[in-house]
Amino acid sequence: MAVIAVLAVLLAGGMAVIFQQFVAGRSDQLLTSGGAIGAPFELVDHNGEPITEQAMEGRPVAVFFGFAHCPEVCPTTLYEMAGWLNALGEEGEEIGAFFVTVDPERDTPEIMRAYVTNFTDRITGITGDPEKVAALTKSWFVYSRKVPLDDGGYTMDHTASIYLVGRDGNFKGTIAYGENGETAVAKLRRLVKG
């Protein structure tokens, strides 16, 4: 049994490395092509109000895809993102920050509102029809997959990077999960100036 457990850990680790290489390669491809990212969408924000891609147009944006039942990556990322936006102060007021669920089956507007507002009022939660959310995540080249749990529930595997997009709608890079805070703030500062 121990051998099987070790093999499972190695396989999971190997898949994580392969996935990170995929994301890095995709990021490089988008950057070198001046790549537009995303697509038109009609969903709802964490207040239950309609939201479309127009909320992200004409200003720099930071977009993170995750879910409210996430045990570590999502709360850590939202906490850090809130801190980086605070660190920028007035300089970062123009940045639109968004948290798009990859679990719209559970993440209702009410749940998203309670979750996101625990971190800051600067981040807008986005949820809605599962098929429309899936189309949006695909247009951002975001990986997400439902993973069944032994207790009958599930969790979600998903891309853990924050996507940065300029005023022109083009992809400008990412902030990786666990990235140094000073580096992250510097990237957001360049995003504003760019």
Side-chain angles (χ1 to χ4, degrees):
M1 289 305 271
V3 172
I4 293 173
V6 169
L7 287 174
V9 168
L10 289 174
L11 180 60
M15 292 304 292
V17 169
I18 290 168
F19 178 68
Q20 285 297 85
Q21 290 172 344
F22 169 77
V23 170
R26 204 62 187 129
S27 297
D28 291 344
Q29 184 181 10
L30 283 167
L31 284 171
T32 56
S33 68
I37 192 166
F41 66 88
E42 293 180 7
L43 292 165
V44 293
D45 68 16
H46 65 246
N47 292 316
E49 298 295 324
I51 188 168
T52 70
E53 72 283 353
Q54 292 176 344
M56 299 180 182
E57 292 176 349
R59 63 178 173 161
V61 297
V63 184
F64 178 65
F65 292 80
F67 65 114
H69 291 81
C70 182
E72 182 181 343
V73 172
C74 301
T76 301
T77 301
L78 292 177
Y79 174 79
E80 290 176 339
M81 185 188 274
W84 301 331
L85 292 170
N86 286 338
L88 287 169
E90 290 182 10
E91 185 180 5
E93 285 181 359
E94 187 181 1
I95 296 173
F98 299 91
F99 174 61
V100 181
T101 185
V102 295
D103 186 17
E105 293 175 32
R106 293 187 291 193
D107 289 345
T108 63
E110 296 79 18
I111 288 173
M112 290 288 279
R113 178 174 175 74
Y115 188 70
V116 173
T117 58
N118 275 325
F119 300 99
T120 181
D121 62 355
R122 291 283 319 277
I123 299 172
T124 301
I126 299 177
T127 188
D129 177 86
E131 287 183 15
K132 291 181 178 181
V133 170
L136 178 61
T137 59
K138 183 177 180 182
S139 74
W140 281 77
F141 306 101
V142 169
Y143 165 82
S144 68
R145 182 176 68 88
K146 187 183 284 189
V147 179
L149 298 173
D150 291 339
D151 65 3
Y154 68 91
T155 189
M156 299 293 294
D157 279 347
H158 61 91
T159 302
S161 297
I162 298 169
Y163 288 69
L164 304 176
V165 178
R167 286 179 191 82
D168 58 2
N170 287 332
F171 177 76
K172 302 297 183 186
T174 62
I175 297 174
Y177 175 67
E179 188 161 329
N180 175 284
E182 290 179 12
T183 305
V185 170
K187 286 182 177 183
L188 290 171
R189 189 168 281 125
R190 280 194 305 273
L191 185 66
V192 172
K193 292 179 179 176

